[in-house]
Amino acid sequence: MLGSRNLASRCVRLARSKTTTSSSSRAKASVVAEQSRGIIGVPFAKGQGKQGVELAPDLLRQSNLRQVLQSSHDGLVIRDYGNLQYAVDETLLQQQRVHYHHIRNYADFMACNRALIEQVKIMLQQNSQFLAIGGDHAIGFGSVAGHLQHTPNLSLVWIDAHADINLHSTSQSGNIHGMPVSFLLEQLRTTWQHACLDEIAPNCLPKDQLVYIGLRDIDPYEAFILNKFGIRYYAMDTIDRVGVPKIIEMTLDALNPQNKIHVSFDIDALDSNVAPSTGTAVRGGLTLREGISIVEALRDTKRVQGVDLVEINPKLGNERDVRTTVDSGLEILKSMFGYRRSGHWSNIDTGILGSD
Ligand SMILES: [Mn+2]
């Protein structure tokens, strides 16, 4: 017990001391990185058992991702950093063998996320926003952890059918794509005591700066954890009861208005009618319009600095299913990054009607 309390307090101290250095580096970075967006593909499929999810980054690129990301900002610079590479070292394999042998591919998970943490930090030094394309949702750990290292005052909106907050001791499947959030929260990271999180991801996410939207398949231990820590989660029953506008209002009220926002969007948050090609589809999800409404509202805060889009699996379903799923993902990204359904005229010559 004493040990875990020490760990937790070290976590907070580190988070505080990083604040000062990071805000000065951010000021410097914004001079060189005015309105640019970095993209990294993370073709990681080992957080779950189905092949195919690693194909999504390149498929999205072939499906006009760049144009979609530029749809409302002609001058915006898009920097594509390609697909993330990583190598697994012996220390990680040793940790897997000794402590986490019942988790599938722990060493790969850690190696990939360590590389992603460094990559996110680089992207945020060089750009005002970044997008990480999965891969499965295991990459949410590295994406958010890297973001937290650059910007310790961060809020996280996790849009998903699942809570992804299992511990190694509670996971039935051993699939680590169901666990990334537990690596991020201060209150849970002591359960990963052999994962060296203080070293690789020293900044934690405060539990009051996490909001889930779209949940509808929560494991019993996950429900226990969410309720024990009072984590805000808007499951589909709440969304049905109060409606998306109210969910948006409650979400924005919960987030610190001074914070930047990370949006981690699992395509399975959407209903399987509009996102059939995904590994753990659950019926009764968000409509595409609801998904768009939510990301529009987040975008309008002008505080979204990092986005993940994960779990699109082009090997599941037929050709039409894949097309539908990719199109839905692109619609979400389009609205997330600036497209307005109500129209806009920021990039045209407004002199065409003459002067007043
Ligand atoms: Mn997920």
Side-chain angles (χ1 to χ4, degrees):
M1 257 342 266
L2 198 68
S4 63
R5 227 175 300 146
N6 281 344
L7 268 177
S9 65
R10 190 149 85 239
C11 207
V12 175
R13 259 202 318 278
L14 273 166
R16 288 207 183 110
S17 68
K18 290 255 161 156
T19 313
T20 20
T21 45
S22 177
S23 51
S24 62
S25 67
R26 195 158 64 240
K28 235 179 288 160
S30 67
V31 176
V32 288
E34 207 54 47
Q35 286 306 304
S36 65
R37 188 168 292 149
I39 307 170
I40 183 73
V42 193
F44 184 79
K46 294 185 169 183
Q48 42 84 61
K50 293 173 186 168
Q51 286 301 302
V53 76
E54 72 282 0
L55 304 172
D58 286 341
L59 179 59
L60 284 165
R61 287 184 178 103
Q62 289 155 21
S63 311
N64 288 335
L65 174 69
R66 194 174 264 272
Q67 285 89 325
V68 162
L69 295 187
Q70 267 179 325
S71 55
S72 68
H73 298 274
D74 278 350
L76 186 82
V77 176
I78 307 274
R79 288 197 189 89
D80 190 342
Y81 293 77
N83 288 341
L84 188 75
Q85 312 273 328
Y86 68 88
V88 182
D89 65 30
E90 187 47 46
T91 319
L92 291 171
L93 289 168
Q94 186 66 16
Q95 280 173 7
Q96 176 172 311
R97 274 194 292 269
V98 177
H99 301 292
Y100 300 122
H101 49 89
H102 55 292
I103 296 178
R104 290 153 77 179
N105 310 310
Y106 170 84
D108 279 275
F109 165 83
M110 250 328 155
C112 175
N113 278 305
R114 280 181 173 185
L116 181 54
I117 287 169
E118 296 312 311
Q119 183 65 50
V120 166
K121 281 161 42 183
I122 291 168
M123 287 194 292
L124 283 173
Q125 282 158 14
Q126 298 174 347
N127 304 279
S128 46
Q129 282 179 316
F130 76 94
L131 166 66
I133 305 170
D136 66 53
H137 219 164
I139 71 158
F141 164 49
S143 184
V144 179
H147 198 170
L148 274 164
Q149 283 187 44
H150 180 274
T151 306
N153 297 322
L154 188 68
S155 305
L156 172 61
V157 182
W158 194 275
I159 305 172
D160 201 324
H162 311 88
D164 296 351
I165 198 168
N166 267 297
L167 314 173
H168 63 95
S169 54
T170 67
S171 169
Q172 296 284 312
S173 65
N175 287 335
I176 205 162
H177 78 151
M179 311 181 206
V181 179
S182 71
F183 287 84
L184 296 167
L185 293 179
E186 187 187 331
Q187 290 77 8
L188 293 176
R189 57 174 29 199
T190 52
T191 68
W192 294 103
Q193 55 186 313
H194 305 292
C196 306
L197 294 177
D198 279 353
E199 177 201 325
I200 60 170
N203 298 65
C204 309
L205 183 80
K207 64 182 165 70
D208 67 349
Q209 290 305 306
L210 166 61
V211 177
Y212 284 104
I213 301 175
L215 307 190
R216 54 193 185 278
D217 184 10
I218 307 173
D219 296 341
Y221 279 110
E222 291 187 304
F224 169 71
I225 290 167
L226 294 178
N227 284 280
K228 178 173 169 61
F229 294 118
I231 292 166
R232 280 185 193 81
Y233 66 103
Y234 301 124
M236 289 310 301
D237 54 354
T238 309
I239 297 175
D240 285 341
R241 204 162 52 240
V242 305
V244 163
K246 183 68 183 170
I247 296 295
I248 290 168
E249 186 191 317
M250 292 191 295
T251 301
L252 295 180
D253 281 351
L255 305 182
N256 183 335
Q258 307 299 320
N259 280 12
K260 294 293 185 185
I261 298 174
H262 187 111
V263 183
S264 201
F265 199 105
D266 189 323
I267 200 73
D268 71 25
L270 299 178
D271 190 81
S272 41
N273 286 329
V274 285
S277 295
T278 187
T280 47
V282 191
R283 304 294 297 271
L286 298 170
T287 66
L288 183 57
R289 278 168 63 182
E290 288 173 329
I292 287 172
S293 286
I294 293 165
V295 299
E296 279 177 342
L298 292 168
R299 170 206 72 201
D300 284 344
T301 66
K302 298 186 165 45
R303 291 172 8 231
V304 175
Q305 190 171 252
V307 173
D308 312 320
L309 178 65
V310 298
E311 300 281 359
I312 293 175
N313 189 331
K315 283 207 172 152
L316 299 178
N318 60 31
E319 206 175 310
R320 189 175 160 190
D321 292 336
V322 174
R323 193 71 258 151
T324 302
T325 310
V326 167
D327 285 349
S328 294
L330 291 172
E331 288 295 333
I332 291 294
L333 291 180
K334 194 164 96 175
S335 292
M336 183 89 79
F337 288 118
Y339 178 79
R340 290 177 186 283
R341 290 182 291 174
S342 52
H344 52 88
W345 57 88
S346 52
N347 300 319
I348 59 168
D349 173 10
T350 50
I352 49 152
L353 299 180
S355 52
D356 302 327

